[in-house]
Amino acid sequence: MSIQKRKREEKEQRRGTIVDAAEVVLAETGRDDMTMADIAEEARLSRSLLYVYFEDMNDIVLAVTLRGFRSMRTRFEAAVAEYDTGLRQLRGIGDAYVDFARDEPTYFALVAEFESRTANPEDASERMRRCLAEADRGLGAMAEAIRNGIGDGSVRSDLDPVQTAMTLWGSTHGLIQLAANKGEGLRQRYDLAPESLVASGLDFLGVALAGDPVSGPPDDGADG
């Protein structure tokens, strides 16, 4: 291995150590209370060394956010690969997003915070553009499932795949946030279990998406 290559690998390892440390601190203290000193202490590095690898704390948080988008996108793509019809793929993606929020709450919170902001790719930093690209790939997995469903007849043929994917993402995200933020209140005021609220919401979206089971796949115009 050349000296130059070894130095590049050492640099990437050091960068990964810093991001790993930031993940730990974010999970323990949250974004608002985290400091560069906290990250440096967790990484066992000097605070000044952090600025050799990242511009500032926001840059480090974006690096963790990118990991979150990658994890979410991987889950979505796995759901598309697992199920045999577009409609089932979409339900699989919905369930995968619920699991993502439950299993990786730090990633989920960072993804949600990033998506709540307006980001112009032309004005964004390189790391922000990478996050936007991963978000687009996640949305693309949903749009692919919708196209698959239109093709196999399990999803309505009048839907625009990208617009519908965005609607589904927003609806599912809202259900998860509602259950997480108002769960106990929903139980006390309306006798609604938060987990059943999300499940029934996904069921409702499935019904709204479903194609005509009698007609089957749309006619491609070929002669029979």
Side-chain angles (χ1 to χ4, degrees), residues 58-121:
N58 286 334
D59 194 29
I60 298 176
V61 171
L62 279 173
V64 183
T65 304
L66 180 60
R67 288 183 176 184
F69 273 114
R70 285 174 175 164
S71 177
M72 183 187 74
R73 182 260 303 168
T74 299
R75 288 171 181 262
F76 288 4
E77 290 176 347
V80 173
E82 180 178 357
Y83 296 100
D84 59 350
T85 69
L87 189 62
R88 289 176 179 172
Q89 291 168 0
L90 288 168
R91 178 55 186 257
I93 289 174
D95 290 336
Y97 196 41
V98 173
D99 292 342
F100 173 65
R102 182 194 62 231
D103 299 341
E104 302 180 288
T106 299
Y107 283 168
F108 177 79
L110 291 173
V111 166
E113 196 276 332
F114 184 90
E115 291 285 17
S116 70
R117 293 178 292 169
T118 300
N120 184 343

Side-chain angles (χ1 to χ4, degrees), residues 186-199:
L186 293 172
R187 194 186 306 275
Q188 293 179 359
R189 295 176 62 190
Y190 307 110
D191 195 26
L192 288 175
E195 59 276 9
S196 66
L197 176 69
V198 176

